[in-house]
Amino acid sequence: MTSPLVEILSAQAAETEKQGRPTAKSLQAAREAGAFALPDRTATEAAQLLTEMARGCPSTSWIAGTSLTGKTFSRRALGDVIGPDTLVAGSGTPGGRGERAFGGVRVTGRWANVSGCEDAEWAGLAVLIDGTLSWALFPLRDLRVEHTWSAVGMRGTGSHTLVAEDVLVPVEREAPLDFAELAGDMVLFGLTALAPVVGATLGALDLITAMFASDRKPYMSAYASMGESPAARTWRAEAIALARRAERTMLALAAAGPGDHGLDMSGAARDCRAAMDLMLDLHGASGFAESNPLQRHWRDVAVASRHPHINAFLAVNRL
């Protein structure tokens, strides 16, 4: 049985993808669930909520996760200057440069792939100020959104490009960014990418469970239902085992705290991709119909699981 939050987000997921950003109903449901106040929760609680959200809509979950990352950066650099229930977009890539001016810093730059930027109230962005890596906090009204996000998955994240043109950032909203102070948060940042992937996989399993409960039967077989087929049951069992292993790994990492867990995180992401392949085998070619939500979960998992925080190739490269 799914929760009311999952049901709302699931009902809105197709429209979220179509319009390239969460619907008003999705944002309201996420806010009421506390998804934009995650810095006040433990890593385990944050991962669990992001996973639950992604069962219904991976894109909305992803935006909540990136907001958590942006707020954490801002807290470490500037303190508690943002409201606890505020949606924040952000980028840790120094796409802009700042020059000291009266009252603060004047910033010009471009930051690509800023998830949720059309709905966020604030943007936290990395900036080079006099050669120093810094963090600056901008009201979204001071920035321009260039609609550059066009991907096969996570389409509803609206991960467009933000542009600053000689924007004055007051001194209280900019500070040097010390990644050493963020070392203890790196596992949390990884979880904000992994939890939506795990949740999307579990959401796909919900769809497969519903299919097994329907009158669908294996094509060109004597079985009267999917559940009667030993092969179908085996495929489903293997998909469940992989998805649950990914979820257990995620929760174990959340509880473990700081450390070099890149291989474990990327391993969980690969388990999710393997589970999705098994589920698509079960659904056959019809699983790729645009009207079938299974293919949306598959695309979202395929794209999100390649994020640098959980990309297997990059995890091995860091050894």
Side-chain angles (χ1 to χ4, degrees):
M1 181 179 295
T2 57
S3 69
L5 175 61
V6 174
E7 290 176 359
I8 293 171
L9 295 180
S10 180
Q12 298 294 309
E15 183 62 25
T16 287
E17 178 170 90
K18 181 179 178 181
Q19 68 180 25
R21 59 196 288 192
T23 66
K25 289 183 179 179
S26 292
L27 288 171
Q28 180 181 354
R31 191 179 301 278
E32 290 177 353
F36 304 146
L38 290 176
D40 297 321
R41 300 197 181 199
T42 67
T44 297
E45 290 170 338
Q48 288 173 326
L49 180 54
L50 292 174
T51 299
E52 180 185 14
M53 291 174 64
R55 289 180 80 148
C57 180
S59 287
T60 303
S61 172
W62 187 269
I63 288 172
T66 57
S67 180
L68 169 57
T69 297
K71 279 188 174 181
T72 302
F73 267 75
S74 295
R75 280 188 172 185
R76 297 290 181 262
L78 304 170
D80 287 322
V81 296
I82 305 175
D85 198 29
T86 303
L87 178 58
V88 176
S91 173
T93 300
R97 294 182 178 275
E99 295 183 357
R100 294 290 172 188
F102 180 75
V105 177
R106 290 201 168 274
V107 176
T108 297
R110 297 169 57 86
W111 296 264
N113 306 323
V114 185
S115 300
C117 61
E118 292 183 289
D119 295 297
E121 297 147 87
W122 292 89
L125 302 169
V127 181
L128 285 176
I129 301 176
D130 296 332
T132 299
L133 181 63
S134 304
W135 186 254
L137 198 57
F138 302 77
L140 255 295
R141 63 177 179 273
D142 290 349
L143 303 172
R144 178 164 53 86
V145 177
E146 283 191 5
H147 290 82
T148 54
W149 181 244
S150 180
V152 297
M154 287 291 177
R155 292 176 178 175
T157 61
S159 302
H160 300 298
T161 297
L162 285 180
V163 181
E165 297 170 337
D166 196 34
V167 176
L168 178 64
V169 180
V171 291
E172 65 269 18
R173 287 200 267 111
E174 57 88 8
L177 184 60
D178 186 356
F179 272 95
E181 295 182 1
L182 293 164
D185 300 306
M186 295 309 294
V187 172
L188 178 64
F189 298 156
L191 292 172
T192 65
L194 179 58
V197 172
V198 172
T201 307
L202 294 174
L205 276 175
D206 293 338
L207 298 173
I208 293 299
T209 297
M211 182 185 72
F212 268 68
S214 72
D215 59 1
R216 178 169 177 151
K217 64 179 184 178
Y219 182 65
M220 295 183 67
S221 77
Y223 297 110
S225 68
M226 297 293 288
E228 283 189 5
S229 165
R233 293 198 305 272
T234 298
W235 253 240
R236 179 171 177 263
E238 289 184 4
I240 290 172
L242 287 164
R244 287 180 176 172
R245 184 169 71 182
E247 184 179 29
R248 286 195 304 272
T249 299
M250 176 190 71
L251 294 175
L253 293 173
D260 184 5
H261 304 306
L263 286 178
D264 292 326
M265 285 206 180
S266 63
R270 294 173 78 179
D271 277 347
C272 290
R273 293 205 300 267
M276 288 301 312
D277 281 346
L278 290 166
M279 287 185 270
L280 283 165
D281 284 349
L282 285 169
H283 235 295
S286 66
F288 294 93
E290 291 188 357
S291 60
N292 192 325
L294 183 64
Q295 52 80 32
R296 184 175 63 247
H297 284 263
W298 168 65
R299 288 186 286 104
D300 287 347
V301 168
V303 170
S305 64
R306 267 77 179 193
H307 186 275
H309 285 317
I310 54 176
N311 186 305
F313 157 71
L314 293 177
V316 172
N317 213 40
R318 289 191 290 268
L319 294 178

